[in-house]
Amino acid sequence: MLNQNAKCVGGALSPGIYSPLVEQLQEHGWEMVQMPCPELTFTGLNRFWAVREQYETLAYRRHCRRIVKGVAAAVEAHVARGDEIVLVGLEGSPSMGVRITSSDPERAGRPTWPDGSPELTAGRGILIEELMAELAKRGLPTPRAIGITQVLPDHSPEAARAGLKAFFED
Amino acid sequence: MAVVDHQLVNGPPRGLDLVGVLQRLHWGMIVLPAAWYPPEVVTELLTQVAEHVEEFVRHGYDVVCVGSPTGLAEPLGRLGVEMPDTITPASDAELAEFLTGREITNRGQLTDAD
């Protein structure tokens, strides 16, 4: 969200920084701590748009577990300082979905699928799953979480802004 | 893409609206870990930042550091990546001048038409 360049080609809907999120964080005095993009450092900038099943491998799980150890350790340091932690993910993402991820067991081979979002399904992305597991393992509280909805077909900028405002005011 | 000092993003404003300038000029940012984290946490998170920077540099993106990228040179060096040009700007204007004066080799996904 802070670096739209990390998105797969065609996935960035705003240049540079996703402003609606940053505006709400700054308006309500939240500190910004950025999570790494696990897909960027696994399949790179030229990766295809993918669903969970394509990332559901032992190697990718290991990659995410390595990443979340660092993230969870940072969360632990903030919790020890008495900070409240909230998690902001990206709905529809195979890795960063909080309530909606993407799934298509048949997707494989030459990437010629039509545009659209039939793969969207309820559930968490892989990195978010691994992060929650690592936080639980460390005895840390489960953070409140919200996902940015900009890739969902029913995304409304106004509703998204209102949702973020309500979340960060809470 | 700008690799930015945690304190410049989250600390009290000192005459510099770093995020505002980056937004206005369409630069993305990677926020460095807070300096007060335990050293082993900082080391791990800087390693991950370096892996991101390596991928962007490999694809010809213009990467700069804003503020004090303490400890980033070592993990970047292990990946064969030189430290990006670095600036500690005193004002929005100084940062904007630094960013707009650069020869961009890769503007990322969004074109002028966007």
Side-chain angles (χ1 to χ4, degrees):
Chain A
M1 292 295 101
L2 301 181
N3 183 19
Q4 291 284 301
N5 297 308
K7 303 276 290 173
C8 71
V9 173
L13 296 183
S14 63
I17 294 169
Y18 182 64
S19 300
L21 171 63
V22 171
E23 285 163 12
Q24 290 301 323
L25 289 168
Q26 290 183 321
E27 187 177 321
H28 295 98
W30 288 85
E31 187 174 330
M32 284 181 259
V33 178
Q34 191 174 21
M35 288 195 286
C37 173
E39 296 172 19
L40 177 77
T41 48
F42 194 79
T43 45
L45 278 166
N46 285 358
R47 65 192 182 276
F48 287 118
W49 192 286
V51 292
R52 263 189 66 119
E53 286 83 354
Q54 292 166 300
Y55 280 116
E56 191 58 83
T57 66
L58 292 173
Y60 189 65
R61 283 276 175 186
R62 257 198 310 272
H63 177 67
C64 286
R65 282 184 200 123
R66 180 197 146 213
I67 287 174
V68 301
K69 279 193 193 323
V71 174
V75 170
E76 196 166 20
H78 280 280
V79 169
R81 204 172 69 159
D83 294 340
E84 183 189 356
I85 305 293
V86 296
L87 172 67
V88 181
L90 179 63
E91 301 300 16
S93 163
S95 301
M96 305 303 285
V98 173
R99 292 180 184 83
I100 299 172
T101 184
S102 57
S103 172
D104 181 356
E106 304 302 319
R107 186 166 297 185
R110 188 186 294 268
T112 55
W113 57 88
D115 285 346
S117 305
E119 74 271 17
L120 295 175
T121 185
R124 286 175 174 160
I126 292 171
L127 184 118
I128 298 297
E129 277 183 357
E130 293 293 346
L131 177 60
M132 294 302 189
E134 181 67 24
L135 293 175
K137 201 162 90 181
R138 292 168 184 250
L140 295 169
T142 301
R144 290 193 298 123
I146 190 170
I148 302 301
T149 58
Q150 70 174 157
V151 302
L152 302 184
D154 59 350
H155 171 73
S156 147
E158 295 74 26
R161 201 178 294 264
L164 286 169
K165 185 176 169 62
F167 180 81
F168 290 117
E169 276 178 351
D170 197 3
Chain B
M1 201 200 61
V3 179
V4 300
D5 191 324
H6 182 275
Q7 191 60 22
L8 285 182
V9 174
N10 293 298
R14 296 185 185 126
L16 176 68
D17 178 12
L18 169 61
V19 178
V21 173
L22 295 177
Q23 281 179 300
R24 200 162 61 247
L25 297 178
H26 296 173
W27 282 63
M29 67 177 178
I30 294 180
V31 183
L32 289 167
W36 61 267
Y37 287 167
E40 66 278 11
V41 177
V42 172
T43 299
E44 171 56 27
L45 294 175
L46 284 174
T47 299
Q48 296 187 20
V49 169
E51 290 175 5
H52 282 65
V53 171
E54 189 273 342
E55 178 66 6
F56 283 108
V57 168
R58 196 165 64 82
H59 284 271
Y61 279 69
D62 189 25
V63 179
V64 301
C65 291
V66 183
S68 302
T70 310
L72 185 59
E74 190 181 327
L76 278 180
R78 284 199 299 272
L79 299 172
V81 178
E82 289 181 12
M83 268 299 288
D85 292 343
T86 300
I87 183 174
T88 303
S91 67
D92 293 2
E94 186 182 351
L95 176 59
E97 185 182 353
F98 172 76
L99 295 176
T100 53
R102 301 183 65 81
E103 185 179 335
I104 306 297
T105 52
N106 189 337
R107 290 174 56 85
Q109 298 183 37
L110 296 160
T111 66
D112 288 334
D114 297 309

